[in-house]
Amino acid sequence: MGVVTSLQVAERAGVSQSAVSRVFTPGASASAKTVEKVKKAAAELGYRPNMMARAMITGKSRIIGLVVAYLDNQFYPLALERLSNALQAKGYHILVFTASNDNDHVARVVEELMDYQVDGIITASVGMSSELTQRCEDARIPIVMFNRGQDGGNVSSVTSANLDGGRKVAEFLLACGHQSIAHISGWLGSSTGRDRKLGFTRTLTQAGIASRVMDGMYDRETARAATLDLMDRRTPPDAIFVGNDHMAFSVMDCLRTEMGLSVPNDVAVVGYDDVPMAAWGAYNLTTMRQPLNRMVDATIDLLLSQVEDKTAPPRAIEIDGALIQRSSTRKPKDTTNEGF
Amino acid sequence: MGVVTSLQVAERAGVSQSAVSRVFTPGASASAKTVEKVKKAAAELGYRPNMMARAMITGKSRIIGLVVAYLDNQFYPLALERLSNALQAKGYHILVFTASNDNDHVARVVEELMDYQVDGIITASVGMSSELTQRCEDARIPIVMFNRGQDGGNVSSVTSANLDGGRKVAEFLLACGHQSIAHISGWLGSSTGRDRKLGFTRTLTQAGIASRVMDGMYDRETARAATLDLMDRRTPPDAIFVGNDHMAFSVMDCLRTEMGLSVPNDVAVVGYDDVPMAAWGAYNLTTMRQPLNRMVDATIDLLLSQVEDKTAPPRAIEIDGALIQRSSTRKPKDTTNEGF
DNA sequence: ATGAAAGCGCTAACAA
DNA sequence: TTGTTAGCGCTTTCAT
């Protein structure tokens, strides 16, 4: 057998090829009799329309390109899974590309995506230069950045409220009575890393507290080295805010296993994301929740609205998250301000 | 601008449309002069060949379908990342489908894959019935099962040596002097889960040791419940072999955080996979390594060889792994047999 | 409601 | 080496 074409179905059903097409084309109409004959013949032959051929004519491939960098941070595989499920339910599918965060690499990958005539692009955990987003705009391919923003650009993006999240963490740690506070940030080359840091340090500064910041690069080993460095100083911090959970686990491992310190008694640790692992017994990490489902839904709504209406303007959506208190921090003493 | 066609490039370069095609078709030839003119015009216009159109003619989409179920077990995102990278390097791309392990669901997903004329299919962490693999064979679509086998079937698969792995774990625990040994298995509906269990229990039985087995279903919560159940018995185990690392972390969390027990002093725990997390300080899990890179390479070699030569027979490849000793178990006393 | 015919953008066979 | 031509399998006018 191999491939069955609409023509073969047409012959078997005793109708024209275009009749077969109409039966399988969502918007088209055919008489009940025709529909029945065609469906029967198609079922017998195991016919299904060829999406490639359909895509060529309609100009819509129903493929969404997903560019992703770090799959070792649990947040992203989970996002991928949710995105894939939600898009599958709407009849779209995901063509995955892995790229490092190097702009040239991302650019190459985007070109390859365009070769497949994808209907839209989602980037997760990777940044895009404005030239690159311009290239997509020229090619009329809508794009949504997931968990990343672009500073000057007019690209769509979905993030959590990172500035506000940083602020909430700072206020929480202050309420816990911490005075010596450090921040191991997300990669400061990413908007996400920068915003969290900015919201955090700005709030501490306003409270008259100096903050030591080191760039953790979203990397376990870098975060570990930063931890050792911070704890080695004259006045080591008694609280560390880490730019995401993935690094926070490394920080906790280093503190406890390598340095023999207690979390939270010696050092409190706060993360960002609230990946499922943060709730596991081994960590029980206090963290800022990024509401994954809502972020995914917003991403898909935004992207598909632009796929269906190319004139829809780009939007930057921020989703609010809550601080989830667990046992990697102590209870706040100062409860005058519970608005973490 | 939007989409640039080969015809537009041809006009600008002052050559025929097929000349343009030849310049961009790997196997074809054109004079240096033509190549230069075409490349220049193409660059100016930002032209790239339309993969869909190419796929229609050649019958090769250069798309590989990947069906995956559990992205919460770190092993699979990592496999996805490696597969994607390796395939990208060879000019293939991955269309991802998430499916539950329900056969109907997998069947639907496979149909959708075929709609896109994928050149091959990789299933990771999902089983396939023999009717389903037959359907793929009828459609001439090669398929490789990653980390799953099919019992009677003649499908290609790449797994680790699961029977042998189970044996090695049993021998190791015996050498450590354990007498009261339990197994929280991987889902017994999967070949992988069954084989590990069989190799394990068979070896224990030969040593005259009874083994208690519970099905952990590859699920954290099920594994936790099994742990509570096992430890609640009259003679609780002093060692537990868990069917994969993902569940083993849950078992350790339960043992330590919920029950206040020490690992390995009260109970030794062994996992399977050796995901990166197993080496993290919080767990330091003794586990059977599944050599991910070698499994991925084998999967791609196998699949692409079948894509290029449809007559290539299916093969079931097993990759050997080593037992990685960490601190979730004690050192073996009996060292007469170090061949774990 | 249906069939005939055009053509999506490309590759491949065929001539020249 | 090059241009011309014929499709790949389908959707979509356009007649009927």
Side-chain angles (χ1 to χ4, degrees):
Chain A
M1 38 202 308
V3 184
V4 183
T5 68
S6 58
L7 192 62
Q8 296 172 44
V9 176
E11 278 162 6
R12 187 181 188 100
V15 296
S16 74
Q17 181 271 331
S18 30
V20 176
S21 171
R22 277 190 278 262
V23 170
F24 283 94
T25 302
S29 65
S31 70
K33 215 161 295 177
T34 306
V35 170
E36 195 203 0
K37 281 192 295 185
V38 168
K39 291 239 171 196
K40 182 161 172 294
E44 286 164 2
L45 263 42
Y47 168 81
R48 310 198 97 220
N50 181 327
M51 298 306 282
M52 298 269 172
R54 175 176 286 181
M56 277 197 61
I57 296 172
T58 60
K60 333 230 93 275
S61 61
R62 302 200 77 85
I63 294 179
I64 301 295
L66 175 68
V67 186
V68 72
Y70 314 111
L71 248 31
D72 46 352
N73 173 354
Q74 202 189 15
F75 189 70
Y76 293 108
L78 256 31
L80 163 53
E81 183 176 336
R82 301 280 208 294
L83 285 167
S84 172
N85 280 334
L87 285 171
Q88 259 171 255
K90 292 186 188 288
Y92 286 88
H93 295 295
I94 287 190
L95 198 64
V96 181
F97 287 70
T98 49
S100 63
N101 236 312
D102 156 42
N103 201 275
D104 284 357
H105 195 185
V106 175
R108 271 207 315 282
V109 154
V110 167
E111 294 295 329
E112 292 182 41
L113 271 175
M114 299 208 267
D115 295 347
Y116 281 99
Q117 310 289 107
V118 295
D119 290 345
I121 297 178
I122 298 172
T123 64
S125 73
V126 299
M128 292 187 80
S129 67
S130 38
E131 301 90 67
L132 209 48
T133 55
Q134 185 59 50
R135 173 102 174 90
C136 293
E137 206 185 310
D138 289 346
R140 304 272 179 286
I141 301 182
I143 175 164
V144 176
M145 298 174 71
F146 178 87
N147 211 26
R148 281 287 187 288
Q150 195 195 47
D151 281 333
N154 54 339
V155 207
S156 288
S157 63
V158 174
T159 61
S160 67
N162 289 310
L163 268 171
D164 206 51
R167 177 186 62 75
K168 284 178 180 169
V169 174
E171 286 172 356
F172 172 73
L173 290 176
L174 290 172
C176 290
H178 293 287
Q179 297 279 333
S180 179
I181 303 177
H183 177 40
I184 297 175
S185 73
W187 179 43
L188 293 176
S190 72
S191 64
T192 308
R194 279 196 306 272
D195 287 351
R196 289 172 194 172
K197 179 200 126 185
L198 187 57
F200 185 71
T201 55
R202 182 193 284 162
T203 308
L204 289 185
T205 305
Q206 283 164 2
I209 303 237
S211 38
R212 281 154 297 176
V213 178
M214 300 192 68
D215 191 333
M217 306 293 291
Y218 295 128
D219 173 67
R220 268 185 73 85
E221 184 47 37
T222 310
R224 173 180 163 272
T227 308
L228 291 173
D229 184 335
L230 287 169
M231 300 309 293
D232 194 40
R233 302 196 183 172
R234 243 192 2 260
T235 53
D238 58 6
I240 304 178
F241 167 41
V242 190
N244 70 5
D245 289 355
H246 179 69
M247 292 188 291
F249 302 136
S250 174
V251 170
M252 286 181 74
D253 285 341
C254 175
L255 252 17
R256 299 201 290 208
T257 314
E258 284 190 67
M259 311 194 66
L261 295 173
S262 159
V263 175
N265 293 328
D266 297 317
V267 190
V269 176
V270 179
Y272 209 110
D273 279 348
D274 194 30
V275 295
M277 212 185 300
W280 291 8
Y283 294 106
N284 230 313
L285 178 69
T286 293
T287 186
M288 274 298 303
R289 173 168 294 166
Q290 295 213 91
L292 181 56
N293 288 334
R294 279 162 56 211
M295 286 175 68
V296 164
D297 291 347
T299 301
I300 290 180
D301 287 351
L302 192 49
L303 187 68
L304 294 189
S305 74
Q306 286 174 192
V307 167
E308 280 149 28
D309 172 13
K310 303 273 182 189
T311 69
R315 294 207 298 142
I317 295 180
E318 285 200 348
I319 310 271
D320 242 15
L323 183 85
I324 309 297
Q325 294 183 42
R326 298 205 183 87
S327 62
S328 70
T329 52
R330 298 204 246 166
K331 293 246 173 298
K333 295 159 189 189
D334 176 1
T335 52
T336 54
N337 178 1
E338 286 272 333
F340 308 129
Chain B
M1 35 202 312
V3 184
V4 183
T5 69
S6 58
L7 192 61
Q8 297 171 43
V9 176
E11 280 163 4
R12 187 182 189 98
V15 296
S16 75
Q17 182 271 329
S18 35
V20 176
S21 171
R22 275 191 280 263
V23 170
F24 284 93
T25 303
S29 65
S31 70
K33 214 161 295 178
T34 307
V35 170
E36 195 202 1
K37 282 191 295 185
V38 169
K39 290 241 172 195
K40 181 162 175 292
E44 285 165 2
L45 263 43
Y47 168 79
R48 309 198 98 221
N50 181 326
M51 297 306 282
M52 297 270 171
R54 175 177 286 179
M56 279 199 59
I57 296 174
T58 60
K60 333 231 90 274
S61 61
R62 301 200 76 86
I63 295 179
I64 301 296
L66 175 68
V67 187
V68 72
Y70 313 112
L71 249 29
D72 46 352
N73 173 353
Q74 202 189 13
F75 189 70
Y76 293 107
L78 257 28
L80 163 53
E81 184 176 335
R82 300 280 207 294
L83 286 167
S84 172
N85 281 332
L87 286 171
Q88 259 171 256
K90 291 185 189 290
Y92 286 88
H93 294 294
I94 288 190
L95 199 63
V96 181
F97 287 71
T98 49
S100 63
N101 236 313
D102 156 42
N103 200 275
D104 284 357
H105 195 183
V106 176
R108 270 207 315 282
V109 155
V110 167
E111 295 295 329
E112 293 182 41
L113 272 174
M114 300 208 270
D115 295 347
Y116 281 99
Q117 310 288 106
V118 294
D119 290 344
I121 296 178
I122 298 172
T123 64
S125 74
V126 299
M128 291 188 80
S129 66
S130 37
E131 302 90 67
L132 208 48
T133 54
Q134 186 61 50
R135 173 101 175 90
C136 293
E137 205 184 312
D138 290 346
R140 303 274 180 284
I141 301 182
I143 174 164
V144 176
M145 297 174 71
F146 178 87
N147 211 25
R148 282 288 187 287
Q150 194 194 48
D151 280 334
N154 54 340
V155 208
S156 288
S157 63
V158 174
T159 61
S160 67
N162 289 311
L163 269 171
D164 206 51
R167 177 186 63 74
K168 284 178 181 168
V169 174
E171 286 173 356
F172 171 73
L173 289 176
L174 290 171
C176 290
H178 292 288
Q179 298 279 333
S180 180
I181 302 178
H183 177 41
I184 298 176
S185 74
W187 180 43
L188 293 175
S190 72
S191 64
T192 308
R194 279 196 306 272
D195 287 351
R196 290 173 194 171
K197 179 199 126 185
L198 188 58
F200 184 70
T201 55
R202 183 193 282 162
T203 306
L204 289 185
T205 306
Q206 282 165 2
I209 304 239
S211 38
R212 281 153 297 176
V213 177
M214 301 192 69
D215 191 334
M217 306 292 292
Y218 295 128
D219 174 66
R220 268 185 73 85
E221 184 47 36
T222 311
R224 172 180 165 272
T227 306
L228 291 172
D229 184 337
L230 286 168
M231 299 309 293
D232 194 40
R233 302 197 184 173
R234 245 196 357 264
T235 54
D238 58 7
I240 304 178
F241 167 41
V242 190
N244 69 5
D245 289 355
H246 179 69
M247 291 187 293
F249 301 136
S250 173
V251 170
M252 287 181 74
D253 285 341
C254 175
L255 253 17
R256 300 202 289 206
T257 313
E258 284 191 67
M259 311 194 68
L261 296 172
S262 160
V263 176
N265 293 329
D266 297 318
V267 189
V269 176
V270 178
Y272 209 109
D273 280 348
D274 194 31
V275 294
M277 213 186 300
W280 292 7
Y283 294 106
N284 230 313
L285 178 69
T286 294
T287 186
M288 275 297 303
R289 173 169 294 165
Q290 296 213 89
L292 182 56
N293 289 332
R294 279 162 56 211
M295 288 176 67
V296 164
D297 291 346
T299 300
I300 290 181
D301 286 351
L302 191 50
L303 187 68
L304 294 190
S305 75
Q306 286 173 193
V307 166
E308 280 149 28
D309 172 14
K310 303 272 184 191
T311 69
R315 295 206 298 143
I317 295 180
E318 285 199 349
I319 310 272
D320 242 16
L323 183 84
I324 309 298
Q325 294 183 43
R326 298 204 183 87
S327 62
S328 70
T329 53
R330 299 205 245 166
K331 294 245 172 299
K333 296 159 190 190
D334 176 0
T335 52
T336 54
N337 178 2
E338 286 273 333
F340 307 128

